[in-house]
Each structure stands twice: as structure tokens, then as C-alpha cells.
Amino acid sequence: MSTTEQQTTGTFAADPVHSHVGFEVPYAVATFSGEVPDFTATLADGHLEGSARIESIQLKDETLQAHVLSPEFFDAERHPVLSFSGELSRDGDRATVEGEITMKGITQPATLEGTIVGPTVDHFGATRVGLKLEAVVDRTAFDMKWNMPLPSGEPALGNEVTLKADLTLVAQEA
Amino acid sequence: MRVLAISGSLRRDSNNTALLRALREEAPSGVDVEIWDGLKQLPPYDGDDDLVPGPATVEAFRSLVREADAVFFATPEYNSSIPGALKNALDWASRPLATNAFRNKPVAVIGSSAGAFGGVWAAAELRKVLGAMGARVTEVEVAVGHAHEKLDDDGRLVDDDVRAALGESLETLLAEAAPALAA
């Protein structure tokens, strides 16, 4: 399928109720995950822009939350926003966004990959696009180097963090 | 700008406290280095006493930390780690963790010892504890070995290299604190 087929033109903005942004990272024997509920995302003629307010990160434990917001991780006091900007390309239902992500004041290239659905008209008459994307980033490249050795000597926390965005984008009226 | 200076040693003729006195002499104008002497007055941490407000000496310590723009530590090394009294103070200060007085606070850590290594393990341990508390731990790393040989009989620092290292450490800490003040 051609990459020019079914291109999304016009401007779409994330519907926050039906969208989720979060992360996963290997921790000890399992996966540690969290959500960043306060975010915005827009898709304008194939250009995806997103930002998330770090202080809004929700974890299941306030002590862990305090640690993640501290200078050892996001340093939310000095770097309150995570941002992404990139260009969407589409091949059928496969979506790739090549761009840059900024966390903790450090900008690195990043590729988001996943699926795209739509544009399609919903039951209220609004035009929606679904974008489900992931990117794996090395947290140490963003100056987040904390770790703790397990009794085996292996580090407790993985360096490869999966950033996840499951977006419902709604066409904005011109 | 106010820098709270905390010695991990309670000993009257402490080398670490002597280093903090030298640090105070190196402070540029406009920077007030206050050496805290309340470490011995804190009760042992007890969750049953961890109420709001906490013990008076604990609340006074927390207030000093909150009001300081930065905190400078000099620690000895006991059994490859930091002195119990210093850890006790930090355990009190760290409560509750999410809003504790050291959160986002710029801190610097140096170590000294009578032996050759200058308390490097204690300093590393202290940096780890402060990082876990959410402090802004600077890159300062000064380890003063054979510390007693660098002080005269009056406890005055007579080693120019150590004095210069203290001055640079304070400069690093102040630079870290400056953006917070500008914000």
C-alpha cells in the first residue's frame, strides 16, 4: 500500500478522555508502569506534536512518585514538561513518527511506531483518527541514571523505557 | 544566599567541622555559611514520635533546611558508612518523603578521615541517601585523607590545596542553587 494513501490532512487534537500516555520499564522480575494523564497532542497535516506535564505522573505509590519526580529521574521542578515533535508516515495501518523527544531538558531523536486507524466518522459526527504508538528510549541518555543492585548483582531497573501513547485524535473545525 | 553546613561528626575537635569553618572563610560576599550544631539534640528516629508537628528540635532542623538555599555536608566515615547520628538527622528530615525539606535542595558532600582515603565510601553513601530523599546532589567530590595533618593545633586548615578544593566545591554548589533562586 502506498504511503500516500489515506493521509490525514487537517488538524486533529487528542481527546484526553479516550487517550492515554504512559511508560513501562523493566523492574526486578516484572514491569513497572505509570501514566501521565495531563498531556496534549495535535496532528496537523502529518506533523505530530505532543507534550506532557511531568508532575501529573500517576504511580501507585506516593513514595515512588516522589522519587520519579526528583532530580534522580525527571527533575520535575526544573524540567516540568516532556515534549515530542515529529512527522507521521503511514503504510496501511502501520504508522511511524520520526522526530525528537525532550525530557529533563535533553533532546534526542526518537522513532514512534505503531498503528493508525481512520480517519473515520464517529457516532456523534466527529472525525477521529486513532494512533497507537510506542518508542523505546534509553533513560540514561536523558540523565536518568539511578539504579540499585539486586542481590544477584544485576541492576534492579532497566535502562530501556517504552513510552506509550494511545491517542484518539478528533478533527478540529477549520 | 544561605548555605547550611552540616558536619557528620559530634566530636569537639572534629576534622570535618574544622573543614566547614574553613569553608565559611572561603564564602564569597553575600553568601552566609551557617554551621549547624544541633545534630546531638535530635532524638533517635521513632515512627511513633513522627507526628505533626514533630519534636521541637526536629522541626527546628527541618526549618533550617527549608530556609537554606543549599546544604553542604562534611562527613567522617564510620565502618565504611556515615555516622549514625547524621543518618538519624536525615531520616527525620526525610519525612514525609514527598514533601521533605531536602526535596530539590542543592547539596554538596565532602568527606575526610584520618586515614588515606578521606571518607570516600561515607561520602558516596551520603550522596545515595540524599538522592533517595530527592535532593539535588551536585558533582562535588572532595576526599580529605590524613585530615589531622592538614589542620594546625587550633583546628585551622593550613593546606592550600584543600582550601582551594573547598572554595571550588562551594562555587559548584552555589551555581546549582542559583537557577532555583532565579526561578
Side-chain angles (χ1 to χ4, degrees):
Chain A
M1 188 175 285
S2 155
T3 55
T4 55
E5 207 169 319
Q6 273 193 294
Q7 283 295 9
T8 52
T9 54
T11 300
F12 295 76
D15 162 2
V17 175
H18 299 97
S19 301
H20 299 273
V21 170
F23 63 89
E24 291 181 348
V25 59
Y27 184 60
V29 296
T31 302
F32 184 79
S33 61
E35 277 215 32
V36 194
D38 187 356
F39 65 89
T40 61
T42 57
L43 179 65
D45 297 329
H47 180 76
L48 183 66
E49 289 264 358
S51 69
R53 194 172 63 85
I54 296 299
E55 285 271 2
S56 76
I57 285 178
Q58 285 190 353
L59 306 178
K60 290 181 179 175
D61 179 276
E62 65 174 6
T63 298
L64 283 174
Q65 180 144 341
H67 196 193
V68 165
L69 298 181
S70 81
E72 287 198 317
F73 285 95
F74 283 100
D75 194 358
E77 183 193 50
R78 293 197 180 164
H79 305 289
V81 174
L82 175 160
S83 61
F84 176 83
S85 170
E87 301 302 323
L88 169 70
S89 58
R90 177 176 191 171
D91 185 358
D93 63 354
R94 301 298 306 167
T96 303
V97 187
E98 296 278 358
E100 289 184 328
I101 189 163
T102 302
M103 289 194 288
K104 208 175 181 180
I106 297 168
T107 301
Q108 299 279 353
T111 302
L112 307 182
E113 290 184 299
T115 55
I116 182 166
V117 177
T120 189
V121 177
D122 71 11
H123 44 303
F124 298 113
T127 301
R128 292 177 177 256
V129 170
L131 260 181
K132 191 170 185 177
L133 300 166
E134 289 188 5
V136 177
V137 299
D138 177 358
R139 67 186 172 94
T140 64
F142 296 91
D143 191 31
M144 299 189 207
K145 295 173 182 164
W146 179 90
N147 228 317
M148 192 74 90
L150 295 167
S152 66
E154 293 291 309
L157 187 65
N159 288 340
E160 291 199 339
V161 180
T162 304
L163 304 174
K164 302 168 80 100
D166 194 344
L167 305 173
T168 292
L169 297 150
V170 183
Q172 306 297 289
E173 291 187 16
Chain B
M1 195 177 296
R2 295 182 59 192
V3 177
L4 185 65
I6 299 177
S7 170
S9 172
L10 298 171
R11 196 165 64 87
R12 186 176 56 248
D13 296 328
S14 158
N15 298 329
N16 282 285
T17 309
L19 289 173
L20 293 180
R21 287 197 299 271
L23 179 84
R24 189 170 55 192
E25 292 165 3
E26 295 304 307
S29 74
V31 175
D32 178 26
V33 175
E34 178 183 352
I35 300 175
W36 184 56
D37 62 0
L39 189 60
K40 201 170 180 175
Q41 276 69 55
L42 299 183
Y45 179 79
D46 181 342
D48 291 340
D49 297 332
D50 190 1
L51 307 170
V52 180
T57 52
V58 169
E59 292 299 345
F61 175 48
R62 288 171 173 162
S63 293
L64 275 176
V65 174
R66 280 189 205 287
E67 289 160 11
D69 298 304
V71 182
F72 197 106
F73 289 88
T75 184
E77 184 168 279
Y78 295 173
N79 301 305
S80 305
S81 187
I82 60 175
L86 179 57
K87 180 64 162 46
N88 181 58
L90 295 176
D91 290 341
W92 274 117
S94 71
R95 303 279 300 157
L97 186 72
T99 55
N100 83 82
F102 275 95
R103 189 161 179 74
N104 294 317
K105 186 73 64 182
V107 297
V109 173
I110 65 165
S112 83
S113 69
F117 296 108
V120 284
W121 292 284
E125 191 81 355
L126 181 51
R127 288 185 198 102
K128 183 185 82 175
V129 171
L130 290 164
M133 290 166 63
R136 197 174 290 291
V137 184
T138 59
E139 299 288 322
V140 166
E141 288 199 22
V142 177
V144 184
H146 305 300
H148 56 292
E149 296 173 7
K150 289 156 185 166
L151 302 168
D152 66 15
D153 290 344
D154 297 324
R156 191 177 153 71
L157 181 66
V158 291
D159 185 300
D160 289 343
D161 291 341
V162 174
R163 188 169 284 279
L166 289 176
E168 286 169 20
S169 301
L170 183 58
E171 206 172 291
T172 301
L173 180 63
L174 296 174
E176 188 65 41
L181 292 178

